[in-house]
Amino acid sequence: MTEIEHYQKLKLELRRGVLILAVLAELREEHYGYSLRKNLLAKGLEIDEGTLYPLVRRLEKQGLLTSEWREESNRKKRFYKVSEIGQLTLEKLTQDWHQVEETLNRILN
Amino acid sequence: MTEIEHYQKLKLELRRGVLILAVLAELREEHYGYSLRKNLLAKGLEIDEGTLYPLVRRLEKQGLLTSEWREESNRKKRFYKVSEIGQLTLEKLTQDWHQVEETLNRILN
DNA sequence: ACACATACTATTTGCCATACAGTATGCAAA
DNA sequence: TTTGCATACTGTATGGCAAATAGTATGTGT
């Protein structure tokens, strides 16, 4: 493994925990998979389908969001939205995030 | 698994990628394992030994830091410090971090 | 004796990325 | 008009890696 590959891997690790939080936050408003992905991309977060779908699946299994098949524009799509528990979890995680942010920035100085 | 356990796990995920960056940053100055851990703790980042030691071992294997056994205060300790490559990687990752920070905060609003 | 200092490892668990694998719709060119 | 291509849209399998957990072990000062 080259240095560059190592670096890329570390960079991925950095994104990792953030994904869940981003998805939860974005799903305060209802989205289907594709639009969720596009929205996150527009805000600067690229996430592959093969990463996103298992992720929402996991979050749903944990009760943090709900999903429903519906037809829209002649197409069946699966719509996701945070549950109440998901909303609470999001709020707590947001606080945790700000703490992590502070701590790391303190260390980086 | 209960909701609380899920939450705790997510919180851990959030810390995850940050650890490497924190360790690299802290090792701009030389430390041995124990003092490294104490230092990070003092700055608000708790990290278990069982996490820290494999981590530094990994970073060393990747060439991001060097280590050396030395005696100090009648005790042999293993001292760690970032290498040149580690320093460069740290700088790049720091930029990446700030970008992640921006992106996530944008999504959270 | 006890607490603290110091270092290290094995196992378990879970997740992300990668790659693979589709269906359906609209539109343009042939 | 049908072939083909783009893009919308949704998933699954697996492999490798990493953090947490729960240990082992020795030394030192009080």
Side-chain angles (χ1 to χ4, degrees):
Chain A
M1 245 204 182
T2 78
E3 297 149 28
I4 294 169
E5 285 168 331
H6 281 141
Y7 162 66
Q8 310 249 4
K9 195 151 280 189
L10 295 177
K11 189 173 171 182
L12 286 180
E13 284 290 322
L14 201 55
R15 273 172 34 113
R16 204 182 146 145
V18 164
L19 294 181
I20 305 144
L21 196 45
V23 167
L24 273 182
E26 200 63 20
L27 287 179
R28 282 172 297 189
E29 288 183 12
E30 200 183 49
H31 281 291
Y32 53 99
Y34 192 82
S35 73
L36 172 58
R37 182 160 177 261
K38 289 296 174 199
N39 259 48
L40 289 173
L41 183 62
K43 295 186 182 175
L45 188 71
E46 198 170 354
I47 179 169
D48 201 85
E49 296 127 8
T51 303
L52 181 59
Y53 286 107
L55 175 57
V56 286
R57 197 55 38 88
R58 238 173 10 253
L59 293 178
E60 183 172 16
K61 195 182 283 176
Q62 296 176 4
L64 302 180
L65 54 87
T66 57
S67 79
E68 167 193 16
W69 278 99
R70 243 187 8 247
E71 186 144 351
E72 191 205 60
S73 317
N74 259 359
R75 283 186 112 126
K76 278 168 288 172
K77 302 166 183 177
R78 192 197 280 270
F79 287 84
Y80 305 90
K81 191 172 191 316
V82 287
S83 65
E84 276 177 55
I85 295 173
Q87 178 65 37
L88 289 174
T89 303
L90 172 59
E91 282 162 23
K92 282 196 271 184
L93 284 176
T94 300
Q95 288 184 352
D96 296 333
W97 158 251
H98 287 309
Q99 188 147 12
V100 166
E101 218 183 345
E102 253 184 68
T103 300
L104 184 56
N105 284 328
R106 194 178 312 131
I107 293 170
L108 286 176
N109 288 335
Chain B
M1 246 202 186
T2 77
E3 297 148 27
I4 295 169
E5 285 167 333
H6 281 141
Y7 162 66
Q8 309 247 3
K9 196 149 278 185
L10 295 177
K11 188 172 171 182
L12 288 178
E13 283 291 321
L14 202 56
R15 275 171 33 114
R16 202 182 146 142
V18 164
L19 293 181
I20 304 144
L21 197 45
V23 166
L24 274 181
E26 200 63 21
L27 286 179
R28 283 172 297 189
E29 288 183 12
E30 200 183 50
H31 281 290
Y32 52 97
Y34 191 81
S35 74
L36 172 58
R37 182 160 176 260
K38 288 296 173 197
N39 260 49
L40 289 172
L41 183 61
K43 295 185 180 174
L45 188 71
E46 198 170 352
I47 180 169
D48 202 87
E49 296 131 13
T51 302
L52 182 59
Y53 286 108
L55 176 56
V56 287
R57 199 52 41 87
R58 225 165 32 245
L59 293 178
E60 182 172 16
K61 195 182 282 176
Q62 297 176 3
L64 302 180
L65 55 87
T66 57
S67 79
E68 168 193 15
W69 278 99
R70 242 188 9 247
E71 185 144 353
E72 190 204 60
S73 318
N74 260 358
R75 281 186 114 128
K76 277 169 288 172
K77 303 166 183 178
R78 192 197 282 270
F79 287 85
Y80 305 90
K81 192 171 190 314
V82 287
S83 65
E84 276 178 55
I85 296 172
Q87 177 65 38
L88 288 174
T89 303
L90 172 59
E91 282 162 23
K92 281 196 271 182
L93 284 177
T94 300
Q95 287 184 352
D96 296 333
W97 158 251
H98 286 309
Q99 189 147 12
V100 166
E101 218 183 343
E102 253 184 68
T103 300
L104 184 55
N105 284 328
R106 194 179 312 131
I107 293 170
L108 286 177
N109 288 335

